[in-house]
Amino acid sequence: MTAKPLNGKKVFVEWERYDTTPTSVTDEEMRALPYDKRSETRRLHTESFQVGIRDHVIHKLCPDDSTSDDMPVMRTTGADDGTGRLRLTFADLVKYLEIVKGLNLPLADQLYMVLNPQHSTDLIIDRDSAAYFANQNIFFDTATGKVKSVMGFKFFENNACPAFNADGQKLAKGAALTATDRKASLFFYAPLTLYHLNSVKILYKPETLDTHSASPTSEFRTQTYGLVDRILDYGFGAIVSGIK
């Protein structure tokens, strides 16, 4: 038997820059406000950075369209929610798990599903999921309403989520939705994801360097470089709300 090499290519992968918009705080504000605005500004920059990275990761990992069997994108088939959007059902989730198992991914405990708020609510009110888990506190956390890890999927939720048009194309991040665009929940196989961030820098220009303003001003910004991507176009997917 002859050993076969793995084919690869030498490529240049440009790192992405992640940062927040600079924020200024004046001495007048510090004197007039009943709280430490500089500390509050630092906290808000940290939170904004974390949320921005999370939303970026979800959008970047999501397939660009619904054409590849290696990255399955499935439409929901439930009842109309009153807006022309078909709800996600428990049966849809089981069907998607069957599709994912067909990918023959090696590590069964590394299957992640990030639900958007619509799909999370759909599962809570679905008759099949409610009946199946009525006497077992294993699918929903009754205190928070969050969907728990079950059936092989580890569930998470995120308010910001990818969206697809009627032709199955992923929309640009933050794009306004038309009447036939639908939000999606993301599936990903963790070992095939690339996620790396350099050390996050807190950039601070103190008011002591401002020699011109009548009310010296300080500035804050958070910044770093990193890479987020799919290692292979395989083992990712999405469940997209169907169209009536």
Side-chain angles (χ1 to χ4, degrees), residues 74-81 85-96 113-129 139-140 147 153 155 183-185 238-242:
M74 188 186 81
R75 291 277 180 171
T76 61
T77 63
D80 183 354
D81 72 347
R85 182 187 73 87
L86 302 185
R87 293 187 181 276
L88 173 66
T89 68
F90 182 71
D92 290 334
L93 202 58
V94 174
K95 178 63 177 179
Y96 194 75
M113 179 71 72
V114 184
L115 295 171
N116 71 53
Q118 291 176 331
H119 289 170
S120 180
T121 302
D122 291 343
L123 289 175
I124 291 175
I125 66 176
D126 181 68
R127 289 180 179 271
D128 289 337
S129 61
F139 196 37
F140 301 108
V147 182
F153 287 132
F155 288 99
K183 295 181 179 180
S185 293
I239 298 178
V240 186
S241 290

Side-chain angles (χ1 to χ4, degrees), residues 75 80-86 118 163-167 171 175-183 240-244:
R75 291 277 180 171
D80 183 354
D81 72 347
T83 68
R85 182 187 73 87
L86 302 185
Q118 291 176 331
F164 286 74
N165 63 21
D167 296 326
L171 303 182
L177 303 187
T178 67
T180 56
D181 296 335
R182 294 291 183 266
K183 295 181 179 180
V240 186
S241 290
I243 304 171
K244 182 180 178 181

Side-chain angles (χ1 to χ4, degrees), residues 225-243:
Y225 289 86
L227 283 174
V228 174
D229 211 342
R230 303 185 294 262
I231 296 176
L232 296 175
D233 286 338
Y234 187 85
F236 298 85
I239 298 178
V240 186
S241 290
I243 304 171

Side-chain angles (χ1 to χ4, degrees), residues 76-212:
T76 61
T77 63
D80 183 354
D81 72 347
T83 68
R85 182 187 73 87
L86 302 185
R87 293 187 181 276
L88 173 66
T89 68
F90 182 71
D92 290 334
L93 202 58
V94 174
K95 178 63 177 179
Y96 194 75
L97 178 62
E98 179 183 353
I99 294 172
V100 167
K101 286 184 176 180
L103 297 176
N104 199 29
L105 298 166
L107 303 178
D109 62 344
Q110 295 294 303
L111 310 179
Y112 289 83
M113 179 71 72
V114 184
L115 295 171
N116 71 53
Q118 291 176 331
H119 289 170
S120 180
T121 302
D122 291 343
L123 289 175
I124 291 175
I125 66 176
D126 181 68
R127 289 180 179 271
D128 289 337
S129 61
Y132 189 79
F133 294 103
N135 298 317
Q136 307 174 57
N137 186 24
I138 60 174
F139 196 37
F140 301 108
D141 186 317
T142 55
T144 65
K146 291 187 179 297
V147 182
K148 291 186 175 181
S149 300
V150 71
M151 300 194 321
F153 287 132
K154 295 182 179 179
F155 288 99
F156 292 89
E157 297 179 20
N158 197 59
N159 289 330
C161 54
F164 286 74
N165 63 21
D167 296 326
Q169 299 290 322
K170 183 175 70 175
L171 303 182
K173 186 173 180 289
L177 303 187
T178 67
T180 56
D181 296 335
R182 294 291 183 266
K183 295 181 179 180
S185 293
L186 168 70
F187 161 72
F188 67 93
Y189 179 60
L192 294 181
T193 62
L194 172 63
Y195 176 81
H196 172 74
L197 293 182
N198 264 11
S199 298
V200 178
K201 300 187 290 290
I202 306 300
L203 305 178
Y204 174 55
K205 179 181 178 181
E207 69 280 3
T208 54
L209 297 181
D210 185 354
T211 61
H212 297 280

